[in-house]
């Protein structure tokens, strides 16, 4: 069965720390991997990754895909309390299916 | 501009009641998705519309779930004879791209969701 697994499921760090969130997948026909930030309820788009080894950056956030290892990481440097959220990873398959992981709940302590 | 809106934001239903959840997509967006997100879980795909056509309903968990988008804009997700396991946040998303193979999943914008609690 196709699946997306995120780790850790929850993480508590202090403001200013750097965090690395993991997403691994087992799917039949990979097309793209998506990262979202979910505060309250609406997930907001962070990154789309399709090619291995190419880092995407947006401010303090960055992400990279490793197709050989079937995984992706999301890095957040110099964390702020506003980074507290659930971070969702989703994989889109070529047969037009999307599978989400359970998310990593990140809490930043001031 | 206005994003995806959903109503109601919260709904409490007694087991066995029917509920209707509304989604207003971003104006002009042709693709519309519904997801179910149970507590502590990621969103699970329910159904997909391209304009008024429901092209994929493979994720609907039972025949108690029904979705429509009659004029290709507003969509309604209806749940008949609600059960406790239906308690979840129901998310709607829309995209200006058409076709799930055309990148609609990768360009979707989510609404704030409707939290449904079935007692």
């Amino acid at each position: 069965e196709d699946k997306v697994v995120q780790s850790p499921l929850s993480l508590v760090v202090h403001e200013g720390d750097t965090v690395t969130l993991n997403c691994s997948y087992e799917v039949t026909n990979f097309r793209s991997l998506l990262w979202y930030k979910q505060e309250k309820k609406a997930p907001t788009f962070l990154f789309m990754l399709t090619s291995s080894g190419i880092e995407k950056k947006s401010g303090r956030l960055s992400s990279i895909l490793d197709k050989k290892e079937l995984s992706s990481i999301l890095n957040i440097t110099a964390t702020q309390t506003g980074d507290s959220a659930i971070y969702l990873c989703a994989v889109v398959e070529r047969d037009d299916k999307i599978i989400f992981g359970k998310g990593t709940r990140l809490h930043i302590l001031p | 501009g206005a994003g995806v809106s959903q109503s109601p934001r919260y709904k409490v239903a007694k087991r066995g009641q029917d509920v209707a959840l509304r989604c207003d997509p971003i104006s002009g967006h042709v693709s519309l998705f519904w997801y179910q997100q149970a507590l502590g879980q990621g969103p699970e795909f329910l159904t997909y519309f391209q304009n008024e056509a429901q092209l994929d309903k493979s994720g609907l968990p039972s025949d108690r779930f029904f979705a429509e988008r009659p004029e290709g804009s507003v969509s309604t997700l209806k749940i008949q004879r609600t059960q406790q396991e239906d308690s979840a946040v129901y998310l709607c998303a829309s995209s200006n791209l058409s076709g799930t193979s055309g990148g609609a999943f990768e360009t979707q914008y989510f609404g704030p969701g409707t939290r449904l609690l079935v007692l």
Side-chain angles (χ1 to χ4, degrees):
Chain A
E1 183 182 335
D2 295 344
K3 59 182 178 181
V4 175
V5 178
Q6 293 187 244
S7 63
L9 289 181
S10 66
L11 186 58
V12 180
V13 300
H14 286 96
E15 203 167 22
D17 288 350
T18 292
V19 298
T20 298
L21 311 183
N22 299 281
C23 175
S24 63
Y25 58 90
E26 292 180 25
V27 301
T28 309
N29 281 301
F30 175 90
R31 186 169 95 196
S32 62
L33 187 145
L34 310 173
W35 283 98
Y36 292 91
K37 178 181 183 182
Q38 186 173 27
E39 296 171 281
K40 297 185 181 175
K41 293 199 192 96
T44 53
F45 174 82
L46 294 175
F47 297 111
M48 179 178 76
L49 304 162
T50 57
S51 299
S52 213
I54 298 175
E55 186 182 51
K56 295 277 185 88
K57 279 182 73 74
S58 177
R60 296 176 294 101
L61 278 66
S62 64
S63 183
I64 195 162
L65 176 66
D66 186 337
K67 285 187 176 179
K68 189 176 175 184
E69 296 296 325
L70 306 182
S71 66
S72 173
I73 60 171
L74 174 68
N75 279 318
I76 309 175
T77 60
T79 52
Q80 303 171 357
T81 55
D83 295 328
S84 295
I86 297 172
Y87 289 84
L88 294 168
C89 172
V91 171
V92 182
E93 298 189 64
R94 290 191 187 280
D95 60 354
D96 305 333
K97 287 184 171 35
I98 185 166
I99 305 169
F100 282 83
K102 291 185 178 183
T104 293
R105 185 179 296 272
L106 176 64
H107 186 65
I108 311 297
L109 298 171
Chain B
V4 178
S5 61
Q6 294 186 244
S7 61
R9 293 294 306 277
Y10 302 90
K11 176 70 179 177
V12 179
K14 291 184 179 178
R15 193 176 58 167
Q17 278 186 329
D18 296 349
V19 298
L21 312 180
R22 178 186 168 109
C23 172
D24 284 81
I26 294 172
S27 178
H29 277 197
V30 298
S31 291
L32 186 144
F33 305 89
W34 283 99
Y35 296 87
Q36 179 190 60
Q37 187 174 21
L39 191 63
Q41 305 294 314
E44 289 197 10
F45 171 84
L46 293 178
T47 187
Y48 163 68
F49 288 87
Q50 181 174 310
N51 296 307
E52 68 279 4
Q54 188 175 21
L55 298 186
D56 187 348
K57 54 182 181 179
S58 61
L60 295 176
S62 77
D63 58 8
R64 296 186 295 104
F65 286 71
F66 172 76
E68 60 183 6
R69 194 186 185 198
E71 296 178 2
S73 55
V74 171
S75 177
T76 303
L77 176 67
K78 297 179 180 177
I79 309 173
Q80 297 176 320
R81 304 181 303 281
T82 52
Q83 304 293 315
Q84 285 186 319
E85 62 261 28
D86 300 335
S87 296
V89 174
Y90 290 85
L91 295 166
C92 175
S94 71
S95 168
N96 63 333
L97 296 184
S98 61
T100 50
S101 58
F105 278 131
E106 287 90 342
T107 55
Q108 60 187 329
Y109 291 85
F110 283 87
T114 294
R115 183 178 293 278
L116 173 65
L117 177 61
V118 181
L119 301 175

